[in-house]
Amino acid sequence: MTHAFVVPRVPSVDAVAVEERAAKFRTRSIKKDAKIKGLKLVASMIDLTTLEGMDTPGKVQMLCQKAISPGSGCPQVAAICVYPTLVPVAKAALKGTSIKVASVATYFPSGQASLKERTDEVRRAVEAGADEIDMVISRGDFLAGHYAKIDEEIRATREACGPAHLKVILETGELQTYDNVRLASQIAIDAGAHFIKTSTGKVSPGATMPVTLVMLEAIRDHFINTGKMVGMKPAGGIRDSKLAMHYLAMVKETLGDAWLSPDWFRFGASSLLNDVLMQLEKQSTGRYHSDRYLSLS
Amino acid sequence: MAKSTPTRLRVLKTFKLYIGGAFPRTESGRFLQEHNPKGQLVANFCRASRKDLRNSVVAARKAQPGWAGRTPFNRAQILYRMAEVLESRRESFESALAERAGIKSADAQAEVDAAIDRLVWYAGWADKFVQIMGTTNPVASPHFNITSPEPTGVVTAFAPRSAPLLGLITAIAPVIVSGNALVLVVENEHPSIAIDLAEVFHCSDLPGGVVNILTGLREELVPHAAKHMDIDAIATFDATDEERRLIALEAAESVKRVHNFESPAKHDWAQASAQSPYNILPFVEFKTAWHPIESGAAMGAKY
């Protein structure tokens, strides 16, 4: 290991200010044409996700069909996110489209395995065709203060990714404090993450607006200091499109328009797309819609 | 009891909505005023918006499977509990009917009596209507063929314009007894009574979201309810021709069940004719099951 790790100096986070700032976005009212555009943008940023023990090839195929043609004038989603074993299924179903296949790896969701096992899993997922890898950091090591280990595992995973993009899941619901989130964000960014991501979706709370704001500010400060853009992916618990639109307002006002693109911002979600479809139907028909008319996820 | 000082201003309650087991203000921030027959202001109440309706439907949809999944016996217990709690607050309702609605004391007592009794009466139907309205059907094949009523899902009811307490019970009980969840829209002279009643429901073991109560203007909410794709049935009391036309037209899109009731004459509200197990029927769907049995003919039977 030639790289000498130094714990990055990060500013401390004012929890009260962050929570108040984040709460302000929840009051935004986005209507009519702006709403329709916003809904479509949200849809185009979704990593349509299924990460259940009971996932079947059939379910993944169904999800891929939905990703390709969601209906109701809704654009295609950004990616399908599945476990490594289902990557070939998704890859085949999405052949000929621009929709990416993302795979969680590194012993998702706990990350409790040796670094070699974890990077081997990443290599297998990439060989199977994954365009993007969502890794988890070792929260236990982070909380024990072994920051160098976190740095090392992210660098090793990035290397194992080869051409695939790397998203680093901090699992903020287990990091206890905003200061920890800020530090973990910086470590991930410095170690070469293409995206930083809040949560696995397996721990509550998942993504929250204050936590996402802290991560967006880390991205912003990194951009100001180095000129390099890093992407952001909140995941876990973002189920309705109104909340998703408030996230977009937060992104726009923290990072600017450049990040309002699926290249730089994603939602990790399974039921959000259905809500977007219901809202688009409401906008076009004037009827409040029902998810009974939509597929399960 | 000490009388309040003459200079004291009475605190006027703002009656809120009842959605998903909570009492939120209308998201629209609008309110209306309720007056007694002497023209005195007796309450401020919320003027629900279409978004309150939408939120109520979401709450009802969420609550409905759990409510339908309760045993009929348990639903009966809870309706009976609603009657118990109403009984324990009867003085408060009697004085509300008298002071706010200007109903004579004896009539107010009679209306509260009838409301409590009607809840008990419908409670009794919870574990009986399926037996009476379900059927075993003769079929020409080796099947045991049964039809039974199941709750239709989320029902929106537009409450009677008269009988500010008893009218509500008459609208609510036959809908929820079978396992439906209800969004009740109340536009009458004294909608504050409906929110008093919501407070009774709130401490009656009734799961939040099974009954949601919106006060406001029917004219404003009828079109949105009729169009809503996630409402399974609409009940109206005393609907105008225009309301009937609009509901019939828009409800067709999602194939809603629609049933229009007429309120009885004032003194008939408490009569047995104003309650019926057949009032449960518009809000159930009949499901038929074919259960294969060993061939009767093979066993020498004549069918």
Side-chain angles (χ1 to χ4, degrees), chain B residues 24-283:
Chain B
R25 284 187 173 76
T26 168
E27 64 81 37
S28 66
R30 303 172 306 178
F31 71 98
L32 296 166
Q33 297 193 317
E34 179 180 324
H35 298 86
N36 66 16
K38 291 179 198 157
Q40 294 160 322
L41 178 65
V42 292
N44 294 314
F45 64 95
C46 290
R47 179 180 161 190
S49 69
R50 64 183 170 89
K51 292 194 178 171
D52 296 315
L53 176 76
R54 176 196 62 189
N55 294 344
S56 303
V57 173
V58 170
R61 177 61 66 197
K62 198 172 163 200
Q64 195 268 332
W67 178 238
R70 301 278 183 128
T71 60
F73 180 68
N74 187 228
R75 285 202 300 276
Q77 287 177 310
I78 290 172
L79 260 74
Y80 188 84
R81 180 70 184 162
M82 289 155 71
E84 280 179 23
V85 177
L86 185 53
E87 181 85 57
S88 76
R89 299 185 178 200
R90 60 172 308 135
E91 284 84 7
S92 146
F93 277 89
E94 282 167 18
S95 70
L97 288 170
E99 286 168 23
R100 288 184 225 150
I103 295 175
K104 279 188 295 187
S105 175
D107 289 348
Q109 282 181 28
E111 182 165 347
V112 176
D113 283 344
I116 296 165
D117 294 350
R118 189 154 290 168
L119 271 173
V120 173
W121 191 82
Y122 275 110
W125 279 106
D127 58 358
K128 297 175 189 69
F129 81 95
V130 175
Q131 300 162 55
I132 292 180
M133 291 162 184
T135 54
T136 312
N137 313 312
V139 289
S141 66
H143 290 89
F144 181 50
N145 186 284
I146 52 168
T147 299
S148 67
E150 292 182 3
T152 192
V154 173
V155 179
T156 297
F158 292 89
R161 295 179 193 270
S162 54
L165 175 63
L166 183 53
L168 305 178
I169 299 295
T170 308
I172 294 167
V175 171
I176 63 169
V177 69
S178 65
N180 291 304
L182 174 68
V183 178
L184 183 71
V185 178
V186 181
E187 178 185 350
N188 60 25
E189 295 287 310
H190 303 288
S192 63
I193 308 277
I195 303 303
D196 282 338
L197 185 62
E199 291 176 7
V200 166
F201 294 169
H202 194 59
C203 45
S204 299
D205 302 335
L206 184 73
V210 173
V211 174
N212 306 274
I213 301 182
L214 304 178
T215 55
L217 304 180
R218 277 165 71 143
E219 180 187 36
E220 183 181 351
L221 298 177
V222 161
H224 294 289
K227 285 180 184 175
H228 201 307
M229 301 296 277
D230 212 20
I231 293 174
D232 300 293
I234 292 186
T236 68
F237 279 81
D238 315 320
T240 62
D241 289 346
E242 175 56 21
E243 284 177 335
R244 284 170 189 246
R245 189 194 66 80
L246 187 78
I247 291 170
L249 199 66
E250 295 290 357
E253 180 73 18
S254 64
V255 208
K256 288 181 188 67
R257 286 150 211 281
V258 177
H259 196 84
N260 299 303
F261 294 97
E262 285 303 323
S263 284
K266 189 179 166 196
H267 293 290
D268 289 339
W269 265 115
Q271 300 298 314
S273 58
Q275 61 194 30
S276 165
Y278 292 101
N279 290 351
I280 301 171
L281 280 191
F283 314 108

Side-chain angles (χ1 to χ4, degrees), chain A residues 13-276:
Chain A
V13 179
D14 179 340
V16 173
V18 161
E19 282 168 12
E20 281 189 10
R21 176 78 181 132
K24 284 225 166 114
F25 294 108
R26 295 295 286 143
T27 63
R28 300 298 171 85
S29 183
I30 300 161
K31 301 286 184 202
K32 306 265 159 71
D33 288 352
K35 179 170 184 179
I36 293 171
K37 280 186 183 162
L39 288 168
K40 290 182 175 175
L41 185 57
V42 167
S44 73
M45 292 170 158
I46 292 176
D47 281 5
L48 195 58
T49 302
T50 183
L51 295 170
E52 303 295 335
M54 59 181 180
D55 284 346
T56 58
K59 181 175 182 193
V60 171
Q61 279 159 355
M62 187 203 80
L63 216 58
C64 291
Q65 286 310 312
K66 186 163 185 169
I68 294 167
S69 44
S72 303
C74 182
Q76 296 183 342
V77 303
I80 289 283
C81 184
V82 293
Y83 273 115
T85 48
L86 290 158
V87 166
V89 178
K91 198 70 190 166
L94 294 172
K95 200 173 177 191
T97 73
S98 58
I99 300 169
K100 303 274 192 268
V101 175
S103 176
V104 294
T106 67
Y107 282 68
F108 179 94
S110 71
Q112 295 282 22
S114 75
L115 185 55
K116 179 169 183 317
E117 286 166 317
R118 297 171 69 200
T119 50
D120 282 351
E121 192 189 20
V122 170
R123 285 196 185 88
R124 284 198 299 274
V126 174
E127 276 165 24
D131 305 300
E132 302 172 356
I133 295 293
D134 290 27
M135 73 167 287
V136 288
I137 64 166
S138 306
R139 283 84 74 191
D141 279 334
F142 182 89
L143 293 172
H146 303 148
Y147 303 130
K149 268 180 138 173
I150 306 296
D151 175 75
E152 184 193 345
E153 71 183 18
I154 297 172
R155 285 175 195 275
T157 310
R158 168 79 196 262
E159 195 194 334
C161 279
H165 274 212
L166 176 63
K167 306 192 198 106
V168 178
I169 303 171
L170 308 182
E171 195 63 299
T172 53
E174 292 181 340
L175 293 188
Q176 318 292 339
T177 66
Y178 293 127
D179 285 326
N180 278 348
V181 171
R182 176 80 198 217
L183 177 59
S185 301
Q186 195 60 51
I187 292 172
I189 290 169
D190 291 345
H194 292 104
F195 271 70
I196 51 176
K197 174 175 169 184
T198 57
S199 319
T200 60
K202 304 291 180 196
V203 165
S204 187
T208 65
M209 289 194 75
V211 133
T212 306
L213 182 57
V214 169
M215 293 168 71
L216 290 173
E217 285 175 348
I219 292 171
R220 178 195 62 197
D221 292 349
H222 182 73
F223 179 73
I224 290 169
N225 291 336
T226 67
K228 286 182 188 149
M229 287 171 77
V230 173
M232 174 71 207
K233 177 177 171 184
I238 303 173
R239 293 190 187 88
D240 69 83
S241 41
K242 192 181 200 175
L243 177 58
M245 304 260 270
H246 289 151
Y247 270 89
L248 291 190
M250 186 162 75
V251 172
K252 182 178 166 70
E253 292 173 28
T254 309
L255 295 176
D257 287 344
W259 268 266
L260 288 180
S261 138
D263 293 339
W264 298 106
F265 191 80
R266 298 279 181 85
F267 291 104
S270 50
S271 52
L272 176 61
L273 181 59
N274 267 0
D275 195 64
V276 169

